[in-house]
Amino acid sequence: WKPILAKLTADSVLTHIGRIEAEQREDFKQVLTYVFVTRQSQILGFKRGTFNRVEDYLRGSYCIGFGGHVSELDRTLFNIGTDMGIADNAKRELFEELMLPAMDSNRIVRGEGLRIVGILNDDSSPTGRKHFAVVFHYRASDDSQWDFPERGEKSITQLRWLSLKSLGEQLRGFEYWSQLCLTDFFLSSLKAQPSYQIRRRSPLRPPHLLCVVGT
């Protein structure tokens, strides 16, 4: 990810355009931050609620990623020549989406415990073709306030710590980007078996055929 991010900023291919225009175009990709939060052997997860501007198919799915669109709000004199506000966006989104303990608020402002771990690019869906994400990992403090994490936005529901030792059976309930992060960064903690889930049976009834192609 480091050479990619360096090229993006060095070549000045990062620019700001209107949000409405960006949603109509696939020749531009909107830059997001996607931050997962861990504490010892746990990862913070939530369920996307109805107060959410994401695509309909993502509502109600489980997620480990906090974050959002990098906007002009995140661009300052201090980051315009480095990452165009990507890291500051990750910090801002954590402050907005979670009720952070005072200890963690101070750590995040200083950038402690927060680091970039990758870049996520997924062209398998219309949403993915219009976005890519810079993935961050935040290691939370041991503050006791984290025992009962609280949300900062209504779009986040069922916020709770999930054990990385027992996520295998639940993996298919997570949105695709969360599955990618879990299998890439925590593969040794997952014991998932290949599985499938039929969401709509009627299109598969005879004489209809299902063809699975590709790798």
mmCIF file of all heavy atoms in Angstrom, residues 40-88:
data_model
loop_
_atom_site.group_PDB
_atom_site.id
_atom_site.type_symbol
_atom_site.label_atom_id
_atom_site.label_comp_id
_atom_site.label_asym_id
_atom_site.label_seq_id
_atom_site.Cartn_x
_atom_site.Cartn_y
_atom_site.Cartn_z
ATOM 1 N N GLN A 40 -7.017 -6.235 22.693
ATOM 2 C CA GLN A 40 -6.537 -7.569 23.035
ATOM 3 C C GLN A 40 -6.988 -8.560 21.959
ATOM 4 O O GLN A 40 -6.646 -8.400 20.803
ATOM 5 C CB GLN A 40 -7.016 -7.944 24.450
ATOM 6 C CG GLN A 40 -6.483 -6.985 25.512
ATOM 7 C CD GLN A 40 -7.078 -7.225 26.873
ATOM 8 O OE1 GLN A 40 -7.839 -8.161 27.098
ATOM 9 N NE2 GLN A 40 -6.734 -6.365 27.816
ATOM 10 N N SER A 41 -7.781 -9.579 22.299
ATOM 11 C CA SER A 41 -8.203 -10.575 21.309
ATOM 12 C C SER A 41 -9.615 -10.314 20.803
ATOM 13 O O SER A 41 -10.296 -11.236 20.349
ATOM 14 C CB SER A 41 -8.136 -11.982 21.929
ATOM 15 O OG SER A 41 -9.021 -12.070 23.034
ATOM 16 N N GLN A 42 -10.046 -9.053 20.860
ATOM 17 C CA GLN A 42 -11.390 -8.695 20.420
ATOM 18 C C GLN A 42 -11.334 -7.628 19.333
ATOM 19 O O GLN A 42 -10.378 -6.866 19.238
ATOM 20 C CB GLN A 42 -12.215 -8.161 21.603
ATOM 21 C CG GLN A 42 -12.447 -9.167 22.717
ATOM 22 C CD GLN A 42 -13.185 -8.540 23.878
ATOM 23 O OE1 GLN A 42 -12.811 -7.471 24.362
ATOM 24 N NE2 GLN A 42 -14.253 -9.180 24.322
ATOM 25 N N ILE A 43 -12.390 -7.606 18.529
ATOM 26 C CA ILE A 43 -12.528 -6.571 17.512
ATOM 27 C C ILE A 43 -13.913 -5.950 17.653
ATOM 28 O O ILE A 43 -14.891 -6.640 17.976
ATOM 29 C CB ILE A 43 -12.316 -7.156 16.093
ATOM 30 C CG1 ILE A 43 -12.186 -6.039 15.070
ATOM 31 C CG2 ILE A 43 -13.419 -8.132 15.707
ATOM 32 C CD1 ILE A 43 -11.634 -6.497 13.729
ATOM 33 N N LEU A 44 -13.994 -4.651 17.447
ATOM 34 C CA LEU A 44 -15.252 -3.937 17.635
ATOM 35 C C LEU A 44 -16.108 -4.078 16.377
ATOM 36 O O LEU A 44 -15.642 -3.809 15.258
ATOM 37 C CB LEU A 44 -14.968 -2.463 17.921
ATOM 38 C CG LEU A 44 -16.101 -1.621 18.522
ATOM 39 C CD1 LEU A 44 -16.591 -2.211 19.837
ATOM 40 C CD2 LEU A 44 -15.639 -0.181 18.722
ATOM 41 N N GLY A 45 -17.341 -4.518 16.565
ATOM 42 C CA GLY A 45 -18.242 -4.706 15.433
ATOM 43 C C GLY A 45 -19.586 -4.056 15.684
ATOM 44 O O GLY A 45 -19.943 -3.742 16.817
ATOM 45 N N PHE A 46 -20.324 -3.858 14.604
ATOM 46 C CA PHE A 46 -21.655 -3.267 14.728
ATOM 47 C C PHE A 46 -22.506 -3.707 13.548
ATOM 48 O O PHE A 46 -22.015 -4.328 12.598
ATOM 49 C CB PHE A 46 -21.570 -1.732 14.780
ATOM 50 C CG PHE A 46 -21.064 -1.088 13.518
ATOM 51 C CD1 PHE A 46 -21.941 -0.600 12.559
ATOM 52 C CD2 PHE A 46 -19.701 -0.961 13.279
ATOM 53 C CE1 PHE A 46 -21.482 0.001 11.399
ATOM 54 C CE2 PHE A 46 -19.223 -0.362 12.120
ATOM 55 C CZ PHE A 46 -20.119 0.116 11.174
ATOM 56 N N LYS A 47 -23.774 -3.372 13.631
ATOM 57 C CA LYS A 47 -24.706 -3.678 12.548
ATOM 58 C C LYS A 47 -25.177 -2.368 11.944
ATOM 59 O O LYS A 47 -25.518 -1.437 12.672
ATOM 60 C CB LYS A 47 -25.901 -4.475 13.090
ATOM 61 C CG LYS A 47 -26.733 -5.167 12.037
ATOM 62 C CD LYS A 47 -27.754 -6.097 12.678
ATOM 63 C CE LYS A 47 -28.505 -6.894 11.620
ATOM 64 N NZ LYS A 47 -29.482 -7.829 12.233
ATOM 65 N N ARG A 48 -25.159 -2.285 10.623
ATOM 66 C CA ARG A 48 -25.589 -1.057 9.967
ATOM 67 C C ARG A 48 -27.098 -0.893 10.111
ATOM 68 O O ARG A 48 -27.869 -1.774 9.724
ATOM 69 C CB ARG A 48 -25.212 -1.084 8.484
ATOM 70 C CG ARG A 48 -23.714 -1.052 8.235
ATOM 71 C CD ARG A 48 -23.431 -0.819 6.759
ATOM 72 N NE ARG A 48 -22.008 -0.865 6.449
ATOM 73 C CZ ARG A 48 -21.179 0.165 6.576
ATOM 74 N NH1 ARG A 48 -21.651 1.311 7.050
ATOM 75 N NH2 ARG A 48 -19.902 0.056 6.247
ATOM 76 N N GLY A 49 -27.509 0.243 10.667
ATOM 77 C CA GLY A 49 -28.926 0.502 10.880
ATOM 78 C C GLY A 49 -29.588 1.174 9.686
ATOM 79 O O GLY A 49 -28.991 1.343 8.626
ATOM 80 N N THR A 50 -30.836 1.594 9.869
ATOM 81 C CA THR A 50 -31.595 2.210 8.786
ATOM 82 C C THR A 50 -31.214 3.676 8.594
ATOM 83 O O THR A 50 -31.443 4.246 7.529
ATOM 84 C CB THR A 50 -33.101 2.114 9.058
ATOM 85 O OG1 THR A 50 -33.383 2.693 10.343
ATOM 86 C CG2 THR A 50 -33.548 0.667 9.066
ATOM 87 N N PHE A 51 -30.628 4.310 9.622
ATOM 88 C CA PHE A 51 -30.198 5.703 9.499
ATOM 89 C C PHE A 51 -28.815 5.758 8.853
ATOM 90 O O PHE A 51 -27.859 6.238 9.429
ATOM 91 C CB PHE A 51 -30.153 6.381 10.874
ATOM 92 C CG PHE A 51 -31.497 6.526 11.518
ATOM 93 C CD1 PHE A 51 -31.933 5.591 12.437
ATOM 94 C CD2 PHE A 51 -32.329 7.595 11.212
ATOM 95 C CE1 PHE A 51 -33.178 5.718 13.043
ATOM 96 C CE2 PHE A 51 -33.570 7.726 11.799
ATOM 97 C CZ PHE A 51 -33.999 6.784 12.716
ATOM 98 N N ASN A 52 -28.740 5.243 7.644
ATOM 99 C CA ASN A 52 -27.445 5.101 6.992
ATOM 100 C C ASN A 52 -27.590 5.396 5.510
ATOM 101 O O ASN A 52 -28.567 4.988 4.893
ATOM 102 C CB ASN A 52 -26.909 3.675 7.199
ATOM 103 C CG ASN A 52 -25.407 3.616 7.065
ATOM 104 O OD1 ASN A 52 -24.834 4.074 6.096
ATOM 105 N ND2 ASN A 52 -24.758 3.046 8.066
ATOM 106 N N ARG A 53 -26.604 6.089 4.938
ATOM 107 C CA ARG A 53 -26.684 6.455 3.527
ATOM 108 C C ARG A 53 -26.039 5.411 2.617
ATOM 109 O O ARG A 53 -25.863 5.644 1.425
ATOM 110 C CB ARG A 53 -26.009 7.811 3.298
ATOM 111 C CG ARG A 53 -26.758 8.954 3.928
ATOM 112 C CD ARG A 53 -26.225 10.289 3.460
ATOM 113 N NE ARG A 53 -24.837 10.499 3.864
ATOM 114 C CZ ARG A 53 -24.152 11.598 3.559
ATOM 115 N NH1 ARG A 53 -24.706 12.551 2.842
ATOM 116 N NH2 ARG A 53 -22.899 11.732 3.971
ATOM 117 N N VAL A 54 -25.685 4.257 3.159
ATOM 118 C CA VAL A 54 -25.076 3.219 2.331
ATOM 119 C C VAL A 54 -26.128 2.574 1.442
ATOM 120 O O VAL A 54 -27.329 2.793 1.601
ATOM 121 C CB VAL A 54 -24.383 2.141 3.196
ATOM 122 C CG1 VAL A 54 -23.267 2.751 4.011
ATOM 123 C CG2 VAL A 54 -25.400 1.443 4.094
ATOM 124 N N GLU A 55 -25.664 1.754 0.511
ATOM 125 C CA GLU A 55 -26.587 1.062 -0.389
ATOM 126 C C GLU A 55 -27.527 0.157 0.406
ATOM 127 O O GLU A 55 -27.183 -0.354 1.479
ATOM 128 C CB GLU A 55 -25.794 0.211 -1.394
ATOM 129 C CG GLU A 55 -24.814 1.004 -2.259
ATOM 130 C CD GLU A 55 -25.523 1.935 -3.219
ATOM 131 O OE1 GLU A 55 -26.682 1.644 -3.588
ATOM 132 O OE2 GLU A 55 -24.924 2.953 -3.606
ATOM 133 N N ASP A 56 -28.719 -0.071 -0.166
ATOM 134 C CA ASP A 56 -29.732 -0.869 0.523
ATOM 135 C C ASP A 56 -29.220 -2.247 0.911
ATOM 136 O O ASP A 56 -29.528 -2.763 1.986
ATOM 137 C CB ASP A 56 -30.976 -1.015 -0.365
ATOM 138 C CG ASP A 56 -31.755 0.295 -0.483
ATOM 139 O OD1 ASP A 56 -31.557 1.176 0.379
ATOM 140 O OD2 ASP A 56 -32.542 0.427 -1.432
ATOM 141 N N TYR A 57 -28.424 -2.865 0.027
ATOM 142 C CA TYR A 57 -27.988 -4.231 0.297
ATOM 143 C C TYR A 57 -27.007 -4.318 1.470
ATOM 144 O O TYR A 57 -26.741 -5.399 1.984
ATOM 145 C CB TYR A 57 -27.398 -4.881 -0.966
ATOM 146 C CG TYR A 57 -26.033 -4.369 -1.366
ATOM 147 C CD1 TYR A 57 -24.871 -4.971 -0.908
ATOM 148 C CD2 TYR A 57 -25.901 -3.273 -2.213
ATOM 149 C CE1 TYR A 57 -23.621 -4.514 -1.283
ATOM 150 C CE2 TYR A 57 -24.664 -2.807 -2.600
ATOM 151 C CZ TYR A 57 -23.530 -3.429 -2.139
ATOM 152 O OH TYR A 57 -22.294 -2.967 -2.504
ATOM 153 N N LEU A 58 -26.441 -3.174 1.890
ATOM 154 C CA LEU A 58 -25.515 -3.166 3.019
ATOM 155 C C LEU A 58 -26.225 -2.953 4.351
ATOM 156 O O LEU A 58 -25.666 -3.281 5.400
ATOM 157 C CB LEU A 58 -24.461 -2.064 2.827
ATOM 158 C CG LEU A 58 -23.456 -2.279 1.696
ATOM 159 C CD1 LEU A 58 -22.557 -1.061 1.554
ATOM 160 C CD2 LEU A 58 -22.622 -3.521 1.941
ATOM 161 N N ARG A 59 -27.424 -2.410 4.318
ATOM 162 C CA ARG A 59 -28.141 -2.162 5.569
ATOM 163 C C ARG A 59 -28.489 -3.475 6.247
ATOM 164 O O ARG A 59 -28.941 -4.417 5.619
ATOM 165 C CB ARG A 59 -29.420 -1.354 5.300
ATOM 166 C CG ARG A 59 -29.151 0.069 4.832
ATOM 167 C CD ARG A 59 -30.414 0.911 4.876
ATOM 168 N NE ARG A 59 -30.146 2.276 4.476
ATOM 169 C CZ ARG A 59 -30.407 2.764 3.273
ATOM 170 N NH1 ARG A 59 -30.964 1.975 2.368
ATOM 171 N NH2 ARG A 59 -30.120 4.010 2.967
ATOM 172 N N GLY A 60 -28.272 -3.528 7.537
ATOM 173 C CA GLY A 60 -28.551 -4.736 8.290
ATOM 174 C C GLY A 60 -27.407 -5.722 8.341
ATOM 175 O O GLY A 60 -27.494 -6.732 9.035
ATOM 176 N N SER A 61 -26.331 -5.440 7.614
ATOM 177 C CA SER A 61 -25.183 -6.348 7.639
ATOM 178 C C SER A 61 -24.234 -5.966 8.767
ATOM 179 O O SER A 61 -24.207 -4.815 9.213
ATOM 180 C CB SER A 61 -24.446 -6.313 6.294
ATOM 181 O OG SER A 61 -24.020 -4.997 5.995
ATOM 182 N N TYR A 62 -23.460 -6.932 9.213
ATOM 183 C CA TYR A 62 -22.475 -6.677 10.263
ATOM 184 C C TYR A 62 -21.217 -6.076 9.645
ATOM 185 O O TYR A 62 -20.877 -6.348 8.490
ATOM 186 C CB TYR A 62 -22.142 -7.962 11.012
ATOM 187 C CG TYR A 62 -23.271 -8.433 11.896
ATOM 188 C CD1 TYR A 62 -24.128 -9.441 11.476
ATOM 189 C CD2 TYR A 62 -23.498 -7.848 13.142
ATOM 190 C CE1 TYR A 62 -25.181 -9.864 12.271
ATOM 191 C CE2 TYR A 62 -24.551 -8.267 13.944
ATOM 192 C CZ TYR A 62 -25.389 -9.271 13.506
ATOM 193 O OH TYR A 62 -26.436 -9.679 14.284
ATOM 194 N N CYS A 63 -20.527 -5.267 10.431
ATOM 195 C CA CYS A 63 -19.401 -4.515 9.897
ATOM 196 C C CYS A 63 -18.354 -4.311 10.986
ATOM 197 O O CYS A 63 -18.690 -4.204 12.176
ATOM 198 C CB CYS A 63 -19.910 -3.154 9.387
ATOM 199 S SG CYS A 63 -18.643 -2.092 8.681
ATOM 200 N N ILE A 64 -17.081 -4.241 10.581
ATOM 201 C CA ILE A 64 -16.015 -3.910 11.531
ATOM 202 C C ILE A 64 -15.347 -2.588 11.171
ATOM 203 O O ILE A 64 -14.436 -2.155 11.868
ATOM 204 C CB ILE A 64 -14.942 -5.018 11.583
ATOM 205 C CG1 ILE A 64 -14.278 -5.177 10.204
ATOM 206 C CG2 ILE A 64 -15.523 -6.335 12.083
ATOM 207 C CD1 ILE A 64 -12.990 -5.980 10.231
ATOM 208 N N GLY A 65 -15.807 -1.954 10.077
ATOM 209 C CA GLY A 65 -15.128 -0.762 9.589
ATOM 210 C C GLY A 65 -15.826 0.531 9.957
ATOM 211 O O GLY A 65 -16.999 0.730 9.629
ATOM 212 N N PHE A 66 -15.111 1.412 10.629
ATOM 213 C CA PHE A 66 -15.603 2.762 10.918
ATOM 214 C C PHE A 66 -14.896 3.716 9.953
ATOM 215 O O PHE A 66 -13.719 3.537 9.639
ATOM 216 C CB PHE A 66 -15.300 3.152 12.363
ATOM 217 C CG PHE A 66 -15.917 2.227 13.368
ATOM 218 C CD1 PHE A 66 -15.226 1.095 13.800
ATOM 219 C CD2 PHE A 66 -17.176 2.462 13.876
ATOM 220 C CE1 PHE A 66 -15.789 0.222 14.723
ATOM 221 C CE2 PHE A 66 -17.759 1.598 14.798
ATOM 222 C CZ PHE A 66 -17.063 0.476 15.220
ATOM 223 N N GLY A 67 -15.590 4.732 9.498
ATOM 224 C CA GLY A 67 -14.948 5.661 8.583
ATOM 225 C C GLY A 67 -15.940 6.274 7.626
ATOM 226 O O GLY A 67 -17.155 6.144 7.784
ATOM 227 N N GLY A 68 -15.419 6.939 6.606
ATOM 228 C CA GLY A 68 -16.290 7.607 5.650
ATOM 229 C C GLY A 68 -15.489 8.306 4.577
ATOM 230 O O GLY A 68 -14.277 8.085 4.424
ATOM 231 N N HIS A 69 -16.159 9.167 3.827
ATOM 232 C CA HIS A 69 -15.544 9.860 2.702
ATOM 233 C C HIS A 69 -14.544 10.913 3.177
ATOM 234 O O HIS A 69 -14.824 11.686 4.086
ATOM 235 C CB HIS A 69 -16.614 10.552 1.858
ATOM 236 C CG HIS A 69 -17.479 9.609 1.096
ATOM 237 N ND1 HIS A 69 -18.524 8.912 1.688
ATOM 238 C CD2 HIS A 69 -17.463 9.218 -0.212
ATOM 239 C CE1 HIS A 69 -19.117 8.155 0.775
ATOM 240 N NE2 HIS A 69 -18.494 8.325 -0.389
ATOM 241 N N VAL A 70 -13.401 10.926 2.528
ATOM 242 C CA VAL A 70 -12.423 11.989 2.766
ATOM 243 C C VAL A 70 -12.908 13.224 2.007
ATOM 244 O O VAL A 70 -13.129 13.172 0.795
ATOM 245 C CB VAL A 70 -11.021 11.578 2.268
ATOM 246 C CG1 VAL A 70 -10.023 12.709 2.514
ATOM 247 C CG2 VAL A 70 -10.567 10.308 2.980
ATOM 248 N N SER A 71 -13.096 14.321 2.714
ATOM 249 C CA SER A 71 -13.662 15.523 2.108
ATOM 250 C C SER A 71 -12.755 16.721 2.337
ATOM 251 O O SER A 71 -11.699 16.623 2.973
ATOM 252 C CB SER A 71 -15.048 15.799 2.700
ATOM 253 O OG SER A 71 -14.934 16.247 4.044
ATOM 254 N N GLU A 72 -13.197 17.862 1.827
ATOM 255 C CA GLU A 72 -12.428 19.092 2.002
ATOM 256 C C GLU A 72 -12.308 19.466 3.474
ATOM 257 O O GLU A 72 -11.398 20.196 3.857
ATOM 258 C CB GLU A 72 -13.071 20.235 1.224
ATOM 259 C CG GLU A 72 -12.874 20.126 -0.286
ATOM 260 C CD GLU A 72 -13.392 21.338 -1.027
ATOM 261 O OE1 GLU A 72 -14.534 21.727 -0.768
ATOM 262 O OE2 GLU A 72 -12.644 21.889 -1.854
ATOM 263 N N LEU A 73 -13.228 18.964 4.299
ATOM 264 C CA LEU A 73 -13.153 19.226 5.738
ATOM 265 C C LEU A 73 -11.848 18.699 6.331
ATOM 266 O O LEU A 73 -11.356 19.232 7.333
ATOM 267 C CB LEU A 73 -14.335 18.575 6.464
ATOM 268 C CG LEU A 73 -15.730 19.151 6.215
ATOM 269 C CD1 LEU A 73 -16.772 18.266 6.889
ATOM 270 C CD2 LEU A 73 -15.824 20.570 6.746
ATOM 271 N N ASP A 74 -11.317 17.667 5.723
ATOM 272 C CA ASP A 74 -10.127 17.001 6.265
ATOM 273 C C ASP A 74 -8.824 17.592 5.732
ATOM 274 O O ASP A 74 -7.751 17.266 6.233
ATOM 275 C CB ASP A 74 -10.180 15.503 5.934
ATOM 276 C CG ASP A 74 -11.465 14.854 6.407
ATOM 277 O OD1 ASP A 74 -11.741 14.918 7.614
ATOM 278 O OD2 ASP A 74 -12.204 14.299 5.565
ATOM 279 N N ARG A 75 -8.902 18.449 4.731
ATOM 280 C CA ARG A 75 -7.697 19.010 4.123
ATOM 281 C C ARG A 75 -7.257 20.261 4.888
ATOM 282 O O ARG A 75 -8.039 21.176 5.091
ATOM 283 C CB ARG A 75 -7.944 19.351 2.657
ATOM 284 C CG ARG A 75 -6.705 19.868 1.936
ATOM 285 C CD ARG A 75 -6.951 20.040 0.458
ATOM 286 N NE ARG A 75 -8.058 20.924 0.166
ATOM 287 C CZ ARG A 75 -8.430 21.296 -1.051
ATOM 288 N NH1 ARG A 75 -7.769 20.817 -2.098
ATOM 289 N NH2 ARG A 75 -9.443 22.100 -1.237
ATOM 290 N N THR A 76 -6.002 20.273 5.311
ATOM 291 C CA THR A 76 -5.461 21.413 6.040
ATOM 292 C C THR A 76 -4.093 21.776 5.470
ATOM 293 O O THR A 76 -3.539 21.067 4.628
ATOM 294 C CB THR A 76 -5.298 21.090 7.543
ATOM 295 O OG1 THR A 76 -4.238 20.123 7.701
ATOM 296 C CG2 THR A 76 -6.574 20.535 8.148
ATOM 297 N N LEU A 77 -3.540 22.869 5.962
ATOM 298 C CA LEU A 77 -2.208 23.286 5.535
ATOM 299 C C LEU A 77 -1.145 22.256 5.923
ATOM 300 O O LEU A 77 -0.086 22.180 5.310
ATOM 301 C CB LEU A 77 -1.854 24.641 6.154
ATOM 302 C CG LEU A 77 -2.641 25.851 5.638
ATOM 303 C CD1 LEU A 77 -2.289 27.090 6.458
ATOM 304 C CD2 LEU A 77 -2.346 26.096 4.163
ATOM 305 N N PHE A 78 -1.447 21.456 6.946
ATOM 306 C CA PHE A 78 -0.462 20.507 7.457
ATOM 307 C C PHE A 78 -0.454 19.191 6.684
ATOM 308 O O PHE A 78 0.509 18.436 6.760
ATOM 309 C CB PHE A 78 -0.712 20.229 8.939
ATOM 310 C CG PHE A 78 -0.670 21.468 9.788
ATOM 311 C CD1 PHE A 78 -1.843 22.075 10.217
ATOM 312 C CD2 PHE A 78 0.537 22.053 10.142
ATOM 313 C CE1 PHE A 78 -1.809 23.224 10.988
ATOM 314 C CE2 PHE A 78 0.587 23.203 10.908
ATOM 315 C CZ PHE A 78 -0.592 23.798 11.333
ATOM 316 N N ASN A 79 -1.556 18.859 5.966
ATOM 317 C CA ASN A 79 -1.579 17.565 5.284
ATOM 318 C C ASN A 79 -1.742 17.677 3.769
ATOM 319 O O ASN A 79 -1.735 16.658 3.079
ATOM 320 C CB ASN A 79 -2.706 16.688 5.849
ATOM 321 C CG ASN A 79 -4.093 17.302 5.680
ATOM 322 O OD1 ASN A 79 -4.412 17.881 4.642
ATOM 323 N ND2 ASN A 79 -4.929 17.175 6.698
ATOM 324 N N ILE A 80 -1.883 18.892 3.244
ATOM 325 C CA ILE A 80 -2.141 19.039 1.808
ATOM 326 C C ILE A 80 -0.983 18.506 0.979
ATOM 327 O O ILE A 80 -1.168 18.052 -0.154
ATOM 328 C CB ILE A 80 -2.445 20.523 1.473
ATOM 329 C CG1 ILE A 80 -3.019 20.610 0.047
ATOM 330 C CG2 ILE A 80 -1.192 21.385 1.610
ATOM 331 C CD1 ILE A 80 -3.555 21.972 -0.303
ATOM 332 N N GLY A 81 0.217 18.527 1.535
ATOM 333 C CA GLY A 81 1.364 18.029 0.786
ATOM 334 C C GLY A 81 1.730 16.602 1.107
ATOM 335 O O GLY A 81 2.723 16.081 0.585
ATOM 336 N N THR A 82 0.952 15.946 1.958
ATOM 337 C CA THR A 82 1.263 14.568 2.339
ATOM 338 C C THR A 82 0.169 13.602 1.891
ATOM 339 O O THR A 82 0.306 12.924 0.873
ATOM 340 C CB THR A 82 1.462 14.470 3.865
ATOM 341 O OG1 THR A 82 0.294 15.009 4.536
ATOM 342 C CG2 THR A 82 2.687 15.260 4.289
ATOM 343 N N ASP A 83 -0.935 13.534 2.643
ATOM 344 C CA ASP A 83 -1.970 12.556 2.289
ATOM 345 C C ASP A 83 -3.327 13.194 2.002
ATOM 346 O O ASP A 83 -4.332 12.505 1.948
ATOM 347 C CB ASP A 83 -2.109 11.512 3.397
ATOM 348 C CG ASP A 83 -2.657 12.105 4.693
ATOM 349 O OD1 ASP A 83 -2.886 13.334 4.758
ATOM 350 O OD2 ASP A 83 -2.850 11.334 5.646
ATOM 351 N N MET A 84 -3.367 14.499 1.831
ATOM 352 C CA MET A 84 -4.605 15.213 1.476
ATOM 353 C C MET A 84 -5.721 15.006 2.500
ATOM 354 O O MET A 84 -6.897 15.073 2.193
ATOM 355 C CB MET A 84 -5.091 14.788 0.089
ATOM 356 C CG MET A 84 -4.173 15.180 -1.046
ATOM 357 S SD MET A 84 -4.252 16.939 -1.433
ATOM 358 C CE MET A 84 -5.772 17.019 -2.350
ATOM 359 N N GLY A 85 -5.347 14.729 3.752
ATOM 360 C CA GLY A 85 -6.343 14.634 4.816
ATOM 361 C C GLY A 85 -6.855 13.244 5.113
ATOM 362 O O GLY A 85 -7.814 13.090 5.889
ATOM 363 N N ILE A 86 -6.244 12.216 4.525
ATOM 364 C CA ILE A 86 -6.743 10.852 4.729
ATOM 365 C C ILE A 86 -6.637 10.436 6.196
ATOM 366 O O ILE A 86 -7.598 9.930 6.789
ATOM 367 C CB ILE A 86 -5.986 9.864 3.818
ATOM 368 C CG1 ILE A 86 -6.345 10.141 2.356
ATOM 369 C CG2 ILE A 86 -6.317 8.418 4.187
ATOM 370 C CD1 ILE A 86 -5.562 9.318 1.362
ATOM 371 N N ALA A 87 -5.471 10.641 6.815
ATOM 372 C CA ALA A 87 -5.299 10.252 8.221
ATOM 373 C C ALA A 87 -6.196 11.082 9.131
ATOM 374 O O ALA A 87 -6.781 10.564 10.091
ATOM 375 C CB ALA A 87 -3.841 10.400 8.634
ATOM 376 N N ASP A 88 -6.326 12.376 8.838
ATOM 377 C CA ASP A 88 -7.189 13.226 9.661
ATOM 378 C C ASP A 88 -8.653 12.825 9.518
ATOM 379 O O ASP A 88 -9.438 12.958 10.450
ATOM 380 C CB ASP A 88 -7.000 14.694 9.283
ATOM 381 C CG ASP A 88 -5.715 15.280 9.844
ATOM 382 O OD1 ASP A 88 -5.249 14.779 10.882
ATOM 383 O OD2 ASP A 88 -5.172 16.224 9.248
#
